[in-house]
Amino acid sequence: MSDVHPIRSRRPGLSLGVRIISVLVLVAIGAVGAWLKHDASGRSAQPRTEFTADNPPPGLPAALTTGQHLHWSRCTSPPTARTAYECAVMKTPLDYRKPAGRTIDVALIRRKATGPNARRIGSLVLNFGGPGVSGVRGLPEYLDQYEPLLDRYDLVSFDPRGVGGTIPVRCGKTADDTGFDGAEACAEHSGALVPYIGTSHTARDLDLMRYLLGDERLHYFGVSYGTALGATYAHLYPSHVGRLVLEAPVDPTEDLSEEQLSQVKAVQAAFDRFAAHCAARIRHCPTGDGPEEAARRMAQLSDRLAKKPAPAGGGRKLDADDLAYAVSDYLDLGTDGWPPLAKALTALIDHNDAGPLSEGAGDNGSADGASSPQDDSRAAQIAITCADSSLRPGFERLDRDAARIEAASPVFGEAWSTGVYLCYDWPFDGERATPQVGADGAAPILVVGGTGDPTTPFPGARRMARALGDGVGVLLTAEEEGHGTYPQNDCVTEAVDTYLRTGRTPAVGTVCRGSMS
């Protein structure tokens, strides 16, 4: 099993330009004056009106609902959040079955709305994918994607359970080590917390968050894994659903092994489309004259790296599994990632220089990069995944599943096949084989899927919309490459923004044309 990438993370798809975010720009955005409403004459300014809700989550003690208030103050970290952002801590039960028992602190971050009070809808809670992504770090990093919504919403994010400032799991060699040293280390250092970090627990935190933010209904934008969280919330609290966007959705009908198989087929198909484009449009294409030649060249390159990893700069090395995941990172970017991927592969094939491929994938990756040594995202990703999944088959079944995955993709199969072993020795029970997402009676939920998504394949978007229930899940199809289509596709952006601002969903069957049209 790979020590670097136990599973393929489900994460936001961002264009190359969007991912390279300047801290200087973030610091310059929106100051105190944007938080105030000016009258028509400009003679006076009205203070911000805070919203209140009167429907607290059922079953919680008053100390956590009517007796709790969020105290927003200047963020101390990350550095990009020290200007124009506010942070707070929300107390929730560790175990919702014992709501009066031990509490935990959930870390929140907010960027206040810039529009007039009279037009403000409430808070829009964002989850950027994963599992294992810190929303406190993510909101400043991805703000420019959602900034146009600041005229109507406070933008809010948070660290889900197991991540960052919210009961972070520790699975390293010591209790202070943020790395991953196996399931036994998780049990030793975080055994009292791991049973309570699954998605259904975080969804219950969302409802308390909604109430404390002052909203009668939750307005939410979840990407990739964030769609599983949003759909789980809708299942638990259908009457509290406001405007929910589920973009690049996971397939709620597939268990962990089935998900790996679907995903490896999708990423292979995306690579084949890249290889065909490269052969036709890129001079000196490193993958040859089409998909078949590309598969042969990648196999040769993978064999070479298995024997001798290539230098990637800074003392790092890139091996065969790293190659597969780095290439897939570029494919997540859609057609924006194709030219730099061709250049990076040329450097690796012709000059044994893995720096461009490794650095490009790292620079363009989202906040949930599973191999980052600076945070606990990899340990959290594994712990949350195994807390959600009850799948614990024996080795005979796992080996069969791994063989199917490896056979399904000549380029990515071997690397992806290790994902089936992720939870085989996990010392805690998982919740379910597949999530519960049926939300009969909820307001319409907008499900956005890209037909060329290599990480959350498009059939899962159809199944998510159906599983939410008749009249609830509304599917918006984007004919786009890459993992995620908002805000890269103008048609998708207009439809999503209209829904979030007015509550109107696009017509059933709406298709947005894009790079695959």
Side-chain angles (χ1 to χ4, degrees):
M1 181 171 173
S2 168
D3 287 334
V4 179
H5 296 279
I7 61 172
R8 179 72 179 136
S9 59
R10 297 166 297 191
R11 56 206 170 124
L14 310 173
S15 70
L16 182 59
V18 167
R19 289 175 184 260
I20 304 174
I21 299 173
S22 167
V23 172
L24 293 176
V25 172
L26 289 176
V27 170
I29 291 172
V32 175
W35 299 347
L36 303 176
K37 175 183 175 183
H38 295 270
D39 65 12
S41 67
R43 291 190 301 267
S44 63
Q46 296 178 355
R48 170 187 165 95
T49 300
E50 297 295 344
F51 295 167
T52 58
D54 60 7
N55 57 340
L60 295 186
L64 296 178
T65 55
T66 56
Q68 180 175 194
H69 303 280
L70 298 177
H71 299 289
W72 296 99
S73 60
R74 181 180 177 184
C75 300
T76 58
S77 66
T80 50
R82 290 175 185 166
T83 301
Y85 294 87
E86 297 174 311
C87 288
V89 169
M90 176 182 75
K91 291 195 175 296
T92 71
L94 172 66
D95 183 353
Y96 277 87
R97 294 167 300 184
K98 300 176 181 178
R102 177 183 173 183
T103 62
I104 62 170
D105 291 342
V106 176
L108 310 179
I109 188 171
R110 176 174 73 174
R111 182 70 175 261
K112 282 185 177 179
T114 57
N117 276 326
R119 289 175 54 81
R120 184 158 56 92
I121 296 169
S123 295
L124 180 64
V125 180
L126 301 163
N127 181 280
F128 304 107
V133 176
S134 164
V136 173
R137 291 193 298 267
L139 183 59
E141 184 173 357
Y142 303 123
L143 176 70
D144 63 341
Q145 294 187 86
Y146 307 96
E147 192 170 14
L149 297 169
L150 274 171
D151 66 331
R152 306 300 300 275
Y153 289 98
D154 294 342
L155 297 184
V156 176
S157 195
F158 65 104
D159 286 352
R161 292 179 177 223
V163 181
T166 304
I167 55 168
V169 294
R170 290 292 180 256
C171 301
K173 297 182 185 304
T174 68
D176 297 324
D177 187 348
T178 60
F180 184 79
D181 196 46
E184 290 185 4
C186 290
E188 179 182 356
H189 302 307
S190 294
L193 303 176
V194 168
Y196 309 104
I197 64 170
T199 299
S200 66
H201 298 278
T202 298
R204 289 177 170 86
D205 292 342
L206 272 179
D207 201 51
L208 180 57
M209 191 184 308
R210 167 202 61 78
Y211 172 75
L212 295 177
L213 289 169
D215 291 333
E216 298 284 329
R217 294 172 178 252
L218 176 71
H219 308 303
Y220 175 86
F221 197 133
V223 182
S224 198
Y225 161 77
T227 65
L229 176 59
T232 299
Y233 177 88
H235 173 75
L236 293 172
Y237 305 100
S239 64
H240 293 175
V241 168
R243 300 168 189 176
L244 264 66
V245 177
L246 307 181
E247 198 216 1
V250 301
D251 189 333
T253 70
E254 292 186 331
D255 64 30
L256 188 59
S257 179
E258 293 166 338
E259 179 186 67
Q260 293 291 103
L261 181 60
S262 294
Q263 191 181 80
V264 80
K265 290 178 179 178
V267 72
Q268 180 66 52
F271 179 77
D272 289 347
R273 294 190 295 271
F274 156 75
H277 170 86
C278 184
R281 304 293 297 273
I282 297 178
R283 192 176 182 183
H284 306 304
C285 173
T287 52
D289 61 5
E292 291 186 6
E293 176 64 19
R296 286 192 293 270
R297 292 193 181 190
M298 291 297 288
Q300 292 170 356
L301 180 60
S302 182
D303 288 343
R304 190 178 96 191
L305 294 172
K307 295 173 183 175
K308 187 176 181 180
R316 296 174 301 154
K317 299 283 187 179
L318 184 132
D319 63 18
D321 277 356
D322 297 332
L323 169 67
Y325 286 102
V327 170
S328 70
D329 281 343
Y330 280 97
L331 297 175
D332 271 354
L333 302 178
T335 54
D336 282 351
W338 288 359
L341 174 57
K343 291 181 180 178
L345 285 174
T346 297
L348 180 57
I349 293 170
D350 291 351
H351 307 291
N352 199 39
D353 180 6
L357 188 66
S358 177
E359 292 169 9
D363 289 343
N364 301 329
S366 63
D368 63 343
S371 61
S372 172
Q374 282 77 35
D375 57 46
D376 53 12
S377 59
R378 180 166 174 247
Q381 181 190 37
I382 296 170
I384 294 169
T385 299
C386 296
D388 287 347
S389 174
S390 62
L391 202 63
R392 300 291 190 271
F395 265 108
E396 185 176 346
R397 158 76 188 277
L398 292 173
D399 288 345
R400 286 199 306 270
D401 289 345
R404 291 171 62 211
I405 292 169
E406 187 168 351
S409 168
V411 177
F412 305 95
E414 184 174 354
W416 260 247
S417 67
T418 62
V420 302
Y421 301 101
L422 183 70
C423 304
Y424 83 95
D425 63 346
W426 196 249
F428 306 95
D429 292 335
E431 189 164 334
R432 301 181 61 83
T434 59
Q436 290 181 299
V437 302
D440 290 342
I445 296 171
L446 184 57
V447 179
V448 185
T451 55
D453 194 317
T455 298
T456 50
F458 179 70
R462 287 201 192 101
R463 294 177 188 132
M464 175 65 85
R466 284 198 299 265
L468 288 167
D470 292 340
V472 178
V474 179
L475 177 63
L476 176 64
T477 299
E479 295 176 338
E480 284 283 9
E481 296 280 359
H483 184 39
T485 60
Y486 181 97
Q488 297 92 309
N489 182 288
D490 291 341
C491 168
V492 168
T493 301
E494 181 178 0
V496 169
D497 289 356
T498 296
Y499 166 70
L500 288 173
R501 289 185 172 119
T502 68
R504 293 195 303 270
T505 58
V508 174
T510 297
V511 177
C512 288
R513 296 175 65 83
S515 60
M516 298 186 71
S517 300

mmCIF file with all atom_site columns, all heavy atoms in Angstrom, residues 198-216:
data_model
loop_
_atom_site.group_PDB
_atom_site.id
_atom_site.type_symbol
_atom_site.label_atom_id
_atom_site.label_alt_id
_atom_site.label_comp_id
_atom_site.label_asym_id
_atom_site.label_entity_id
_atom_site.label_seq_id
_atom_site.pdbx_PDB_ins_code
_atom_site.Cartn_x
_atom_site.Cartn_y
_atom_site.Cartn_z
_atom_site.occupancy
_atom_site.B_iso_or_equiv
_atom_site.pdbx_formal_charge
_atom_site.auth_seq_id
_atom_site.auth_comp_id
_atom_site.auth_asym_id
_atom_site.auth_atom_id
_atom_site.pdbx_PDB_model_num
ATOM 1   N N   . GLY A 1 198 ? -16.980 11.172 11.862 1.00 0.00 ? 198 GLY A N   1
ATOM 2   C CA  . GLY A 1 198 ? -17.577 10.858 10.572 1.00 0.00 ? 198 GLY A CA  1
ATOM 3   C C   . GLY A 1 198 ? -18.471 11.972 10.055 1.00 0.00 ? 198 GLY A C   1
ATOM 4   O O   . GLY A 1 198 ? -18.825 12.931 10.763 1.00 0.00 ? 198 GLY A O   1
ATOM 5   N N   . THR A 1 199 ? -18.878 11.830 8.799  1.00 0.00 ? 199 THR A N   1
ATOM 6   C CA  . THR A 1 199 ? -19.635 12.874 8.116  1.00 0.00 ? 199 THR A CA  1
ATOM 7   C C   . THR A 1 199 ? -20.976 13.162 8.779  1.00 0.00 ? 199 THR A C   1
ATOM 8   O O   . THR A 1 199 ? -21.413 14.315 8.841  1.00 0.00 ? 199 THR A O   1
ATOM 9   C CB  . THR A 1 199 ? -19.844 12.470 6.651  1.00 0.00 ? 199 THR A CB  1
ATOM 10  O OG1 . THR A 1 199 ? -18.561 12.327 6.026  1.00 0.00 ? 199 THR A OG1 1
ATOM 11  C CG2 . THR A 1 199 ? -20.657 13.497 5.886  1.00 0.00 ? 199 THR A CG2 1
ATOM 12  N N   . SER A 1 200 ? -21.650 12.147 9.292  1.00 0.00 ? 200 SER A N   1
ATOM 13  C CA  . SER A 1 200 ? -22.953 12.402 9.921  1.00 0.00 ? 200 SER A CA  1
ATOM 14  C C   . SER A 1 200 ? -22.811 13.258 11.175 1.00 0.00 ? 200 SER A C   1
ATOM 15  O O   . SER A 1 200 ? -23.700 14.068 11.488 1.00 0.00 ? 200 SER A O   1
ATOM 16  C CB  . SER A 1 200 ? -23.652 11.087 10.256 1.00 0.00 ? 200 SER A CB  1
ATOM 17  O OG  . SER A 1 200 ? -22.958 10.364 11.257 1.00 0.00 ? 200 SER A OG  1
ATOM 18  N N   . HIS A 1 201 ? -21.700 13.102 11.896 1.00 0.00 ? 201 HIS A N   1
ATOM 19  C CA  . HIS A 1 201 ? -21.464 13.946 13.074 1.00 0.00 ? 201 HIS A CA  1
ATOM 20  C C   . HIS A 1 201 ? -21.212 15.393 12.649 1.00 0.00 ? 201 HIS A C   1
ATOM 21  O O   . HIS A 1 201 ? -21.729 16.335 13.265 1.00 0.00 ? 201 HIS A O   1
ATOM 22  C CB  . HIS A 1 201 ? -20.275 13.421 13.878 1.00 0.00 ? 201 HIS A CB  1
ATOM 23  C CG  . HIS A 1 201 ? -20.471 12.043 14.410 1.00 0.00 ? 201 HIS A CG  1
ATOM 24  N ND1 . HIS A 1 201 ? -21.167 11.778 15.568 1.00 0.00 ? 201 HIS A ND1 1
ATOM 25  C CD2 . HIS A 1 201 ? -20.079 10.837 13.925 1.00 0.00 ? 201 HIS A CD2 1
ATOM 26  C CE1 . HIS A 1 201 ? -21.187 10.470 15.787 1.00 0.00 ? 201 HIS A CE1 1
ATOM 27  N NE2 . HIS A 1 201 ? -20.529 9.878  14.800 1.00 0.00 ? 201 HIS A NE2 1
ATOM 28  N N   . THR A 1 202 ? -20.420 15.569 11.590 1.00 0.00 ? 202 THR A N   1
ATOM 29  C CA  . THR A 1 202 ? -20.151 16.924 11.098 1.00 0.00 ? 202 THR A CA  1
ATOM 30  C C   . THR A 1 202 ? -21.414 17.561 10.549 1.00 0.00 ? 202 THR A C   1
ATOM 31  O O   . THR A 1 202 ? -21.619 18.772 10.690 1.00 0.00 ? 202 THR A O   1
ATOM 32  C CB  . THR A 1 202 ? -19.047 16.882 10.029 1.00 0.00 ? 202 THR A CB  1
ATOM 33  O OG1 . THR A 1 202 ? -17.838 16.388 10.626 1.00 0.00 ? 202 THR A OG1 1
ATOM 34  C CG2 . THR A 1 202 ? -18.775 18.258 9.459  1.00 0.00 ? 202 THR A CG2 1
ATOM 35  N N   . ALA A 1 203 ? -22.291 16.766 9.924  1.00 0.00 ? 203 ALA A N   1
ATOM 36  C CA  . ALA A 1 203 ? -23.556 17.308 9.433  1.00 0.00 ? 203 ALA A CA  1
ATOM 37  C C   . ALA A 1 203 ? -24.406 17.850 10.585 1.00 0.00 ? 203 ALA A C   1
ATOM 38  O O   . ALA A 1 203 ? -25.098 18.872 10.444 1.00 0.00 ? 203 ALA A O   1
ATOM 39  C CB  . ALA A 1 203 ? -24.316 16.235 8.669  1.00 0.00 ? 203 ALA A CB  1
ATOM 40  N N   . ARG A 1 204 ? -24.369 17.180 11.733 1.00 0.00 ? 204 ARG A N   1
ATOM 41  C CA  . ARG A 1 204 ? -25.108 17.692 12.897 1.00 0.00 ? 204 ARG A CA  1
ATOM 42  C C   . ARG A 1 204 ? -24.485 18.988 13.408 1.00 0.00 ? 204 ARG A C   1
ATOM 43  O O   . ARG A 1 204 ? -25.194 19.894 13.859 1.00 0.00 ? 204 ARG A O   1
ATOM 44  C CB  . ARG A 1 204 ? -25.161 16.622 13.984 1.00 0.00 ? 204 ARG A CB  1
ATOM 45  C CG  . ARG A 1 204 ? -26.071 15.454 13.615 1.00 0.00 ? 204 ARG A CG  1
ATOM 46  C CD  . ARG A 1 204 ? -26.056 14.353 14.667 1.00 0.00 ? 204 ARG A CD  1
ATOM 47  N NE  . ARG A 1 204 ? -27.104 13.362 14.422 1.00 0.00 ? 204 ARG A NE  1
ATOM 48  C CZ  . ARG A 1 204 ? -26.964 12.311 13.622 1.00 0.00 ? 204 ARG A CZ  1
ATOM 49  N NH1 . ARG A 1 204 ? -25.793 12.102 13.017 1.00 0.00 ? 204 ARG A NH1 1
ATOM 50  N NH2 . ARG A 1 204 ? -27.958 11.475 13.430 1.00 0.00 ? 204 ARG A NH2 1
ATOM 51  N N   . ASP A 1 205 ? -23.155 19.085 13.309 1.00 0.00 ? 205 ASP A N   1
ATOM 52  C CA  . ASP A 1 205 ? -22.504 20.354 13.653 1.00 0.00 ? 205 ASP A CA  1
ATOM 53  C C   . ASP A 1 205 ? -22.994 21.475 12.741 1.00 0.00 ? 205 ASP A C   1
ATOM 54  O O   . ASP A 1 205 ? -23.147 22.622 13.176 1.00 0.00 ? 205 ASP A O   1
ATOM 55  C CB  . ASP A 1 205 ? -20.983 20.235 13.515 1.00 0.00 ? 205 ASP A CB  1
ATOM 56  C CG  . ASP A 1 205 ? -20.352 19.310 14.539 1.00 0.00 ? 205 ASP A CG  1
ATOM 57  O OD1 . ASP A 1 205 ? -20.997 19.015 15.564 1.00 0.00 ? 205 ASP A OD1 1
ATOM 58  O OD2 . ASP A 1 205 ? -19.203 18.882 14.300 1.00 0.00 ? 205 ASP A OD2 1
ATOM 59  N N   . LEU A 1 206 ? -23.226 21.144 11.470 1.00 0.00 ? 206 LEU A N   1
ATOM 60  C CA  . LEU A 1 206 ? -23.699 22.150 10.520 1.00 0.00 ? 206 LEU A CA  1
ATOM 61  C C   . LEU A 1 206 ? -25.026 22.746 10.958 1.00 0.00 ? 206 LEU A C   1
ATOM 62  O O   . LEU A 1 206 ? -25.276 23.951 10.760 1.00 0.00 ? 206 LEU A O   1
ATOM 63  C CB  . LEU A 1 206 ? -23.861 21.532 9.133  1.00 0.00 ? 206 LEU A CB  1
ATOM 64  C CG  . LEU A 1 206 ? -22.663 21.505 8.187  1.00 0.00 ? 206 LEU A CG  1
ATOM 65  C CD1 . LEU A 1 206 ? -23.051 20.819 6.883  1.00 0.00 ? 206 LEU A CD1 1
ATOM 66  C CD2 . LEU A 1 206 ? -22.157 22.915 7.905  1.00 0.00 ? 206 LEU A CD2 1
ATOM 67  N N   . ASP A 1 207 ? -25.915 21.933 11.525 1.00 0.00 ? 207 ASP A N   1
ATOM 68  C CA  . ASP A 1 207 ? -27.214 22.489 11.900 1.00 0.00 ? 207 ASP A CA  1
ATOM 69  C C   . ASP A 1 207 ? -27.104 23.423 13.087 1.00 0.00 ? 207 ASP A C   1
ATOM 70  O O   . ASP A 1 207 ? -27.796 24.451 13.144 1.00 0.00 ? 207 ASP A O   1
ATOM 71  C CB  . ASP A 1 207 ? -28.224 21.381 12.181 1.00 0.00 ? 207 ASP A CB  1
ATOM 72  C CG  . ASP A 1 207 ? -29.648 21.895 12.055 1.00 0.00 ? 207 ASP A CG  1
ATOM 73  O OD1 . ASP A 1 207 ? -29.958 22.520 11.012 1.00 0.00 ? 207 ASP A OD1 1
ATOM 74  O OD2 . ASP A 1 207 ? -30.447 21.703 12.991 1.00 0.00 ? 207 ASP A OD2 1
ATOM 75  N N   . LEU A 1 208 ? -26.250 23.091 14.040 1.00 0.00 ? 208 LEU A N   1
ATOM 76  C CA  . LEU A 1 208 ? -26.019 24.025 15.138 1.00 0.00 ? 208 LEU A CA  1
ATOM 77  C C   . LEU A 1 208 ? -25.359 25.292 14.609 1.00 0.00 ? 208 LEU A C   1
ATOM 78  O O   . LEU A 1 208 ? -25.708 26.411 15.031 1.00 0.00 ? 208 LEU A O   1
ATOM 79  C CB  . LEU A 1 208 ? -25.160 23.360 16.216 1.00 0.00 ? 208 LEU A CB  1
ATOM 80  C CG  . LEU A 1 208 ? -24.833 24.217 17.435 1.00 0.00 ? 208 LEU A CG  1
ATOM 81  C CD1 . LEU A 1 208 ? -26.093 24.727 18.116 1.00 0.00 ? 208 LEU A CD1 1
ATOM 82  C CD2 . LEU A 1 208 ? -23.961 23.432 18.417 1.00 0.00 ? 208 LEU A CD2 1
ATOM 83  N N   . MET A 1 209 ? -24.424 25.151 13.680 1.00 0.00 ? 209 MET A N   1
ATOM 84  C CA  . MET A 1 209 ? -23.769 26.300 13.068 1.00 0.00 ? 209 MET A CA  1
ATOM 85  C C   . MET A 1 209 ? -24.804 27.203 12.393 1.00 0.00 ? 209 MET A C   1
ATOM 86  O O   . MET A 1 209 ? -24.775 28.432 12.532 1.00 0.00 ? 209 MET A O   1
ATOM 87  C CB  . MET A 1 209 ? -22.731 25.812 12.048 1.00 0.00 ? 209 MET A CB  1
ATOM 88  C CG  . MET A 1 209 ? -21.788 26.858 11.523 1.00 0.00 ? 209 MET A CG  1
ATOM 89  S SD  . MET A 1 209 ? -20.688 26.168 10.249 1.00 0.00 ? 209 MET A SD  1
ATOM 90  C CE  . MET A 1 209 ? -20.027 24.714 11.078 1.00 0.00 ? 209 MET A CE  1
ATOM 91  N N   . ARG A 1 210 ? -25.698 26.588 11.617 1.00 0.00 ? 210 ARG A N   1
ATOM 92  C CA  . ARG A 1 210 ? -26.764 27.354 10.956 1.00 0.00 ? 210 ARG A CA  1
ATOM 93  C C   . ARG A 1 210 ? -27.537 28.207 11.952 1.00 0.00 ? 210 ARG A C   1
ATOM 94  O O   . ARG A 1 210 ? -27.770 29.411 11.735 1.00 0.00 ? 210 ARG A O   1
ATOM 95  C CB  . ARG A 1 210 ? -27.723 26.385 10.266 1.00 0.00 ? 210 ARG A CB  1
ATOM 96  C CG  . ARG A 1 210 ? -29.031 27.030 9.807  1.00 0.00 ? 210 ARG A CG  1
ATOM 97  C CD  . ARG A 1 210 ? -30.142 26.010 9.628  1.00 0.00 ? 210 ARG A CD  1
ATOM 98  N NE  . ARG A 1 210 ? -30.497 25.276 10.833 1.00 0.00 ? 210 ARG A NE  1
ATOM 99  C CZ  . ARG A 1 210 ? -31.258 25.739 11.829 1.00 0.00 ? 210 ARG A CZ  1
ATOM 100 N NH1 . ARG A 1 210 ? -31.741 26.976 11.781 1.00 0.00 ? 210 ARG A NH1 1
ATOM 101 N NH2 . ARG A 1 210 ? -31.521 24.989 12.886 1.00 0.00 ? 210 ARG A NH2 1
ATOM 102 N N   . TYR A 1 211 ? -27.932 27.579 13.053 1.00 0.00 ? 211 TYR A N   1
ATOM 103 C CA  . TYR A 1 211 ? -28.736 28.290 14.050 1.00 0.00 ? 211 TYR A CA  1
ATOM 104 C C   . TYR A 1 211 ? -27.947 29.444 14.667 1.00 0.00 ? 211 TYR A C   1
ATOM 105 O O   . TYR A 1 211 ? -28.469 30.568 14.808 1.00 0.00 ? 211 TYR A O   1
ATOM 106 C CB  . TYR A 1 211 ? -29.196 27.315 15.123 1.00 0.00 ? 211 TYR A CB  1
ATOM 107 C CG  . TYR A 1 211 ? -29.858 27.984 16.295 1.00 0.00 ? 211 TYR A CG  1
ATOM 108 C CD1 . TYR A 1 211 ? -31.153 28.476 16.194 1.00 0.00 ? 211 TYR A CD1 1
ATOM 109 C CD2 . TYR A 1 211 ? -29.176 28.130 17.504 1.00 0.00 ? 211 TYR A CD2 1
ATOM 110 C CE1 . TYR A 1 211 ? -31.761 29.103 17.270 1.00 0.00 ? 211 TYR A CE1 1
ATOM 111 C CE2 . TYR A 1 211 ? -29.783 28.751 18.585 1.00 0.00 ? 211 TYR A CE2 1
ATOM 112 C CZ  . TYR A 1 211 ? -31.071 29.244 18.465 1.00 0.00 ? 211 TYR A CZ  1
ATOM 113 O OH  . TYR A 1 211 ? -31.660 29.865 19.520 1.00 0.00 ? 211 TYR A OH  1
ATOM 114 N N   . LEU A 1 212 ? -26.698 29.181 15.042 1.00 0.00 ? 212 LEU A N   1
ATOM 115 C CA  . LEU A 1 212 ? -25.898 30.222 15.693 1.00 0.00 ? 212 LEU A CA  1
ATOM 116 C C   . LEU A 1 212 ? -25.522 31.343 14.733 1.00 0.00 ? 212 LEU A C   1
ATOM 117 O O   . LEU A 1 212 ? -25.278 32.479 15.163 1.00 0.00 ? 212 LEU A O   1
ATOM 118 C CB  . LEU A 1 212 ? -24.641 29.602 16.309 1.00 0.00 ? 212 LEU A CB  1
ATOM 119 C CG  . LEU A 1 212 ? -24.907 28.614 17.456 1.00 0.00 ? 212 LEU A CG  1
ATOM 120 C CD1 . LEU A 1 212 ? -23.594 28.003 17.928 1.00 0.00 ? 212 LEU A CD1 1
ATOM 121 C CD2 . LEU A 1 212 ? -25.630 29.292 18.616 1.00 0.00 ? 212 LEU A CD2 1
ATOM 122 N N   . LEU A 1 213 ? -25.480 31.052 13.443 1.00 0.00 ? 213 LEU A N   1
ATOM 123 C CA  . LEU A 1 213 ? -25.247 32.101 12.448 1.00 0.00 ? 213 LEU A CA  1
ATOM 124 C C   . LEU A 1 213 ? -26.495 32.942 12.215 1.00 0.00 ? 213 LEU A C   1
ATOM 125 O O   . LEU A 1 213 ? -26.435 33.976 11.542 1.00 0.00 ? 213 LEU A O   1
ATOM 126 C CB  . LEU A 1 213 ? -24.794 31.483 11.123 1.00 0.00 ? 213 LEU A CB  1
ATOM 127 C CG  . LEU A 1 213 ? -23.387 30.888 11.112 1.00 0.00 ? 213 LEU A CG  1
ATOM 128 C CD1 . LEU A 1 213 ? -23.162 30.083 9.830  1.00 0.00 ? 213 LEU A CD1 1
ATOM 129 C CD2 . LEU A 1 213 ? -22.329 31.975 11.243 1.00 0.00 ? 213 LEU A CD2 1
ATOM 130 N N   . GLY A 1 214 ? -27.628 32.486 12.733 1.00 0.00 ? 214 GLY A N   1
ATOM 131 C CA  . GLY A 1 214 ? -28.849 33.270 12.646 1.00 0.00 ? 214 GLY A CA  1
ATOM 132 C C   . GLY A 1 214 ? -29.734 32.935 11.473 1.00 0.00 ? 214 GLY A C   1
ATOM 133 O O   . GLY A 1 214 ? -30.646 33.707 11.139 1.00 0.00 ? 214 GLY A O   1
ATOM 134 N N   . ASP A 1 215 ? -29.527 31.798 10.838 1.00 0.00 ? 215 ASP A N   1
ATOM 135 C CA  . ASP A 1 215 ? -30.308 31.423 9.661  1.00 0.00 ? 215 ASP A CA  1
ATOM 136 C C   . ASP A 1 215 ? -31.345 30.361 10.002 1.00 0.00 ? 215 ASP A C   1
ATOM 137 O O   . ASP A 1 215 ? -31.031 29.345 10.630 1.00 0.00 ? 215 ASP A O   1
ATOM 138 C CB  . ASP A 1 215 ? -29.387 30.898 8.558  1.00 0.00 ? 215 ASP A CB  1
ATOM 139 C CG  . ASP A 1 215 ? -28.507 31.988 7.965  1.00 0.00 ? 215 ASP A CG  1
ATOM 140 O OD1 . ASP A 1 215 ? -28.911 33.163 8.007  1.00 0.00 ? 215 ASP A OD1 1
ATOM 141 O OD2 . ASP A 1 215 ? -27.413 31.661 7.456  1.00 0.00 ? 215 ASP A OD2 1
ATOM 142 N N   . GLU A 1 216 ? -32.580 30.568 9.542  1.00 0.00 ? 216 GLU A N   1
ATOM 143 C CA  . GLU A 1 216 ? -33.632 29.576 9.711  1.00 0.00 ? 216 GLU A CA  1
ATOM 144 C C   . GLU A 1 216 ? -33.340 28.325 8.880  1.00 0.00 ? 216 GLU A C   1
ATOM 145 O O   . GLU A 1 216 ? -33.711 27.217 9.250  1.00 0.00 ? 216 GLU A O   1
ATOM 146 C CB  . GLU A 1 216 ? -34.983 30.163 9.290  1.00 0.00 ? 216 GLU A CB  1
ATOM 147 C CG  . GLU A 1 216 ? -35.437 31.360 10.108 1.00 0.00 ? 216 GLU A CG  1
ATOM 148 C CD  . GLU A 1 216 ? -35.957 30.953 11.467 1.00 0.00 ? 216 GLU A CD  1
ATOM 149 O OE1 . GLU A 1 216 ? -36.508 29.847 11.575 1.00 0.00 ? 216 GLU A OE1 1
ATOM 150 O OE2 . GLU A 1 216 ? -35.803 31.744 12.425 1.00 0.00 ? 216 GLU A OE2 1
#
